[in-house]
Amino acid sequence: MAAASWAQIAAVFALLVISTPILGGYLAKVYRNEKAPGDRVFLPVERLVYRLLRIDPDGEQRWIAYVGSVVALTLVGVLLNYLVFRVQHLLPGNPDHLRGVSPPLAFNTAVSFVTNTDWQNYTGESTLSQFSQMFALVVHQFLSAATGMALAAAFIRGVIRTRTTTLGNFWVDMVRSLVRVLVPLSFVFAIVLLAGGVIDNFHSTQVVPTISSMGTPATGAPVQQSIPGGPVASMVSIEMIGDNGGGYFGANMAHPFENPNPIVNVLTIWLAAAIPFAFPWAYGRLVGSMRQATVVIVAMVTLYALSVVAVSALEAHGNSHLAQFGVAQAATAANPGGNLEGKDLRLGATGSALSAVTMTGTSTGGVNSAVESYTPLGGGIPLSDMMLGEVIPGGTGTGLYGMLIFVLITAFIAGLMVGRTPMYLGKRLLAGDMTLAAIYILVLPVTVLSFAGISLLLPSAAHQISTTGPHAVTEAVYAFTSAAHNNGSAFAGLAGNTLWYNSTLGLAMWVGRFFEIIPALALAGSLARKRTYTVTAGTLRTDTPLFTALLAAIVVILVGLTYFPVLALGPLAEHFSGHFGV
C-alpha cells in the first residue's frame, strides 16, 4: 500500500490510542456517579430532567424491570416514528413537499432507527422530509445509542456487585449518557464537521445547470442537476459517535456532502470507534483491574487490526481478473490503485476498506463505498466481522457486554479443560449462566440463516436480488446479518423496499435488539446475585496473555462453527470460482 494509505490507518489508530484512556476514564466517572469534569454544567441539567420526567435518581431496578424500561421506550419510539413518517406531508419542515411514506417502509424505518440499526430501504433526500430526518431519525439516534451505553453500565454492575438484585436505574443511566456524553460530543463535532466541509442548512433542493453547460442530445436544452440541502453535519456527528450509521443521503458516507475529504473520512472513522474502544477502559476502572480491561482491549484490537490489514491488502491488490482487459490497478501519481469499483477516488481503496471494517466491526454501518463491489474475500471479511457479534469493538456499550459474554464462555470452557473451577472475578460460573450465554450467541445465527434461506428459496424474494450464484447468497445473508446485528450497512444489490424485505428485516432488527438484551441482562442479574469467592491457585486466571489469545480464538471459532457453511457457499465459493459479482 502507498504511504498515503498507511497514513490513514496510522491516523485512526493514533487517535484511538489518545482518546481511549481519556474517554474511558471519563465514562467510568459518569457511571460510578462520582465527581467528573463538567459537573457545574451537567448536574443542573440532569436534576431538571429528573424533575420533569419524575425520575428518582436514587431508585434502582431489577434486571427484568431494567429490560422492561428499554422495551417501553422502544415501543413508544417505534409508534411515534411510524406516525411521523406516514403523515410527514402534513407536517412542517418539508420544503420539497415529499409525500407520506408507505406503511411497510414506515414500519421498517421506524424499527430500524429505534433499534440503532439504521437500515435504509429508501433514498434519504427524496423520501424523508427535513423534519422527519431531524425529529424521527436524529432524536432516536441519540436515544438508541444512549440505550446501548446504559445496558453496558448495567452489565458492568452485574459483574461488580455481589449479593444484590438490582443493576441500577435505566432512566438515570440514559439521562447521564445523553447529557454528559452524546449531546456535548455531537454538538462539538457537528461544528468540526461543518468546518470540514459537511453541509448543514434548511435549503430545499436547488435545480441548477451543470458545469459543462452542454445540451441534451434530443432537445439541446441545458443539462440540469438537483442539489439537495439539509441539516447534514448535525446528523453525521451523532451518526458516527452513536454508532448509528443512518445518513441523510441515500449514498450515505459516500456522498461528498457527508464525507467531503480524506480528513473528514479519518475523523468519522475514529468517532465511530471511539466510544466502543473507550468502554473496555471504563470497565477496567470500574472493576478495579486494568489487567482485565487489557484482555478485552487487546482481543478487540487484534481482531480489528487483522481485519483492517486484510481488507486493505485485498482491495489494494485489486481484482486479478481485470488485468486481462488492460485495466490498470497499480498505484501511480494519477491513480490511487487497487480495486476502485464502487469506491471514491479521493479516498482510494484503503480509505474505503478502513471505513468498511470499522463500520461493520462496530454497529455503525455508514460505509463510504459499495461493499458489494469489493473482491469476494474483501467483502466477506466485513460480513464476518458483523457475524462475530460486532465485538471488534462493537457498538456504543453493546460491544463491551457482547465481548464480556465471550469472556465468560472462555473462562467456563478453559476452566473445564484444565480441571479448574470455572470462575470470573471470584464468581463461579454455573450451567444456568452458560445457558443464557448460549442463547445470546445462538439467537442471531438462527434468525439470520432462517430468513436468508427463505429469501433465497422464495421466488418473489429471490427476484429482488440483482445477481445470481454465490454472490446472491452473500447478498441475502449480508442483509439479514446487518439487520439482526443492528448494523445497517447494505451490500447494495438488494431491492429491499418490498413487503417481504421491509417486514422480515424489521423483524430481524427486533430480534437483534430484544433477544440479545434479555439474556444479557438476565446473565448480569445472575452475576449480581452471586457471592464472591477468594481467588486461589486453583482458580483459572483471566488476566493473562494466554487467556487473551484463548478469548480471541473462542470468538473466531464459535462464529466459524456457526457461519462457515454459509460463508463457504458465498464469499469463498465466489472467490474460487473467479466469477466476481456474477
Side-chain angles (χ1 to χ4, degrees), residues 61-76 147 151 168-171 174 514:
Q61 297 172 306
R62 295 171 181 264
W63 77 265
I64 195 166
Y66 205 101
V67 171
S69 299
V70 176
V71 173
L73 178 65
T74 304
L75 289 175
V76 171
T147 298
L151 291 167
N169 187 307
F170 170 72
W171 305 106
M174 279 282 293
F514 294 124

Side-chain angles (χ1 to χ4, degrees), residues 1 9 12 54 65 120 135 221 254 266 304 337 375 404 442 561:
M1 291 181 283
I9 297 175
V12 170
R54 297 184 179 181
Q120 295 174 283
F135 179 77
V266 168
Y304 172 66
T375 59
L404 288 178
L442 293 175
L561 291 173

Side-chain angles (χ1 to χ4, degrees), residues 7-22:
Q8 293 183 70
I9 297 175
V12 170
F13 276 84
L15 288 170
L16 289 173
V17 168
I18 295 171
S19 67
T20 295
I22 298 173

Side-chain angles (χ1 to χ4, degrees), residues 38-388:
D39 278 350
R40 299 181 67 178
V41 175
F42 299 139
L43 279 176
V45 176
E46 288 178 1
R47 294 188 185 116
L48 176 61
V49 174
Y50 296 150
R51 191 178 305 115
L52 291 175
L53 299 181
R54 297 184 179 181
I55 297 171
D56 179 9
D58 298 320
E60 296 226 340
Q61 297 172 306
R62 295 171 181 264
W63 77 265
I64 195 166
Y66 205 101
V67 171
S69 299
V70 176
V71 173
L73 178 65
T74 304
L75 289 175
V76 171
V78 168
L79 292 173
L80 185 60
N81 275 9
Y82 180 85
L83 179 62
V84 169
F85 297 147
R86 295 287 290 129
V87 301
Q88 72 172 6
H89 58 293
L90 303 176
L91 300 174
N94 189 4
D96 292 319
H97 307 290
L98 300 173
R99 64 179 184 273
V101 181
S102 66
L105 182 59
F107 164 75
N108 181 280
T109 308
V111 174
S112 178
F113 278 80
V114 173
T115 59
N116 198 245
T117 309
D118 293 23
W119 174 276
Q120 295 174 283
N121 271 338
Y122 62 90
T123 302
E125 64 270 32
S126 63
T127 304
L128 296 183
S129 67
Q130 293 180 2
F131 177 82
S132 293
Q133 300 251 32
M134 290 187 297
F135 179 77
L137 302 192
V138 173
V139 167
H140 284 94
Q141 286 181 326
F142 279 98
L143 294 178
S144 63
T147 298
M149 297 172 71
L151 291 167
F155 196 93
I156 294 172
R157 294 189 192 106
V159 174
I160 297 172
R161 295 181 176 182
T162 58
R163 297 289 190 172
T164 185
T165 59
T166 60
L167 298 175
N169 187 307
F170 170 72
W171 305 106
V172 172
D173 291 336
M174 279 282 293
V175 170
R176 294 180 70 82
S177 300
L178 289 167
V179 172
R180 292 179 174 270
V181 183
L182 295 175
V183 171
L185 283 179
S186 298
F187 179 82
V188 170
F189 282 103
I191 297 174
V192 173
L193 292 171
L194 185 62
V198 182
I199 70 166
D200 205 85
N201 56 58
F202 293 106
H203 298 164
S204 60
T205 299
Q206 305 294 313
V207 180
V208 298
T210 61
I211 296 176
S212 65
S213 299
M214 295 175 63
T216 60
T219 65
V223 178
Q224 295 182 325
Q225 181 180 6
S226 297
I227 301 179
V232 180
S234 53
M235 185 174 186
V236 171
S237 60
I238 185 58
E239 173 189 350
M240 293 295 138
I241 292 170
D243 286 337
N244 293 284
Y248 191 92
F249 301 107
N252 207 288
M253 293 305 293
H255 199 292
F257 287 178
E258 286 194 32
N259 195 8
N261 53 63
I263 295 177
V264 171
N265 187 58
V266 168
L267 177 64
T268 53
I269 292 172
W270 164 62
L271 289 177
I275 292 179
F277 273 119
F279 253 104
W281 190 280
Y283 170 71
R285 289 295 182 90
L286 290 170
V287 301
S289 173
M290 290 307 297
R291 289 178 64 92
Q292 297 292 343
T294 301
V295 168
V296 176
I297 293 173
V298 170
M300 285 180 170
V301 170
T302 300
L303 295 174
Y304 172 66
L306 289 174
S307 293
V308 169
V309 172
V311 178
S312 297
L314 287 165
E315 295 306 302
H317 181 267
N319 185 340
S320 58
H321 295 273
L322 293 179
Q324 59 184 310
F325 300 106
V327 177
Q329 299 180 82
T332 64
N335 185 351
N339 174 32
L340 296 177
E341 180 187 350
K343 298 182 177 66
D344 191 327
L345 294 180
R346 300 168 305 158
L347 307 177
T350 303
S352 300
L354 177 61
S355 173
V357 171
T358 305
M359 302 306 164
T360 53
T362 64
S363 64
T364 311
V367 295
N368 61 18
S369 55
V371 183
E372 185 187 32
S373 296
Y374 281 42
T375 59
L377 295 183
I381 292 175
L383 171 59
S384 301
D385 289 343
M386 286 191 294
M387 290 173 170
L388 291 177

